[in-house]
Amino acid sequence: MFNLIRKDIILQKKNLMILLPALFVYLTLNISYIWSGFVFSIVIIMSAFSIDEKSRINTLLNSLPYTRREIVSSKYIGVLIFTLIVVLTIFIGNLIIHRELTLWKDLMFIVSLVMVSTSFILPFSYQFKSQYLFIGSLVLIGIYMVLISTMFQNLNDIIRENVQIVLSLQNINVYLLIIFSIIILYVCSWLLSIRIYRNKVF
């Protein structure tokens, strides 16, 4: 399975060489590095996933001495690795550009957001295809834009306030509970994706 993870990293090497310096540029702008880290992580992860969606690659992978469990597991481990690379880039970038240490809560929040998002994205992509995920995302963005322009005009402010509340919590037990819940969700998603992929015919 290590070779499957290594394959994803090698295939994403060009993307990483473009996206990580771009992330450095974003850190110099007045844009939330939490939001930037989340978006860049998802882009890298889905780019790695979309490569394996090609029928020839799937056929090749399933002809190699890897189980379908290992193929799916390599993607879930890859999610964590790519997210950690982005988080490390943000930490180093803030240290170099702003001369400040990034709060561990902010970095954990990025990792948590990515884990929660991919817990829904990956099973959906295994069941259907990432192109349908793109269409679904556009529909959701459209609904979101309609909501903030009509019914909930202060929705962005509400989201920001809730994020600040979470990040300002001092009770470590609350953080442990949140982390535990996210891990459970991630593992359940992992098992669901394995089940979906096992039933696929290539």
Side-chain angles (χ1 to χ4, degrees), residues 137-194:
S137 299
L138 290 179
V139 172
L140 287 175
I141 291 171
I143 293 171
Y144 177 79
M145 296 303 292
V146 170
L147 286 175
I148 62 173
S149 62
T150 56
M151 299 170 61
F152 305 101
Q153 295 183 359
N154 62 339
L155 185 58
N156 287 333
D157 294 330
I158 293 171
I159 293 172
R160 275 192 290 267
E161 287 172 10
N162 285 317
V163 169
Q164 288 303 318
I165 289 170
V166 172
L167 294 176
S168 62
L169 290 173
Q170 300 297 325
N171 192 339
I172 192 66
N173 291 328
V174 175
Y175 283 110
L176 291 175
L177 179 61
I178 293 172
I179 291 170
F180 180 73
S181 300
I182 292 171
I183 291 172
I184 293 295
L185 174 65
Y186 197 72
V187 171
C188 289
S189 169
W190 192 330
L191 295 174
L192 177 60
S193 291
I194 290 172

Side-chain angles (χ1 to χ4, degrees), residues 47-109:
S47 176
F49 185 88
S50 63
I51 291 172
D52 283 358
E53 278 190 316
K54 296 175 182 177
S55 57
R56 290 182 182 177
I57 294 180
N58 264 311
T59 304
L60 174 62
L61 285 175
N62 284 280
S63 67
L64 295 173
Y66 300 113
T67 64
R68 293 198 174 191
R69 175 189 289 271
E70 288 175 324
I71 293 171
V72 173
S73 296
S74 69
K75 283 288 177 283
Y76 276 80
I77 295 171
V79 165
L80 300 177
I81 292 172
F82 286 127
T83 306
L84 289 176
I85 290 172
V86 170
V87 163
L88 183 61
T89 302
I90 290 172
F91 181 83
I92 294 172
N94 278 335
L95 196 61
I96 294 173
I97 297 168
H98 301 294
R99 300 280 193 263
E100 63 182 22
L101 291 174
T102 309
L103 295 175
W104 68 269
K105 291 180 183 179
D106 292 352
L107 299 179
M108 284 300 300
F109 192 70

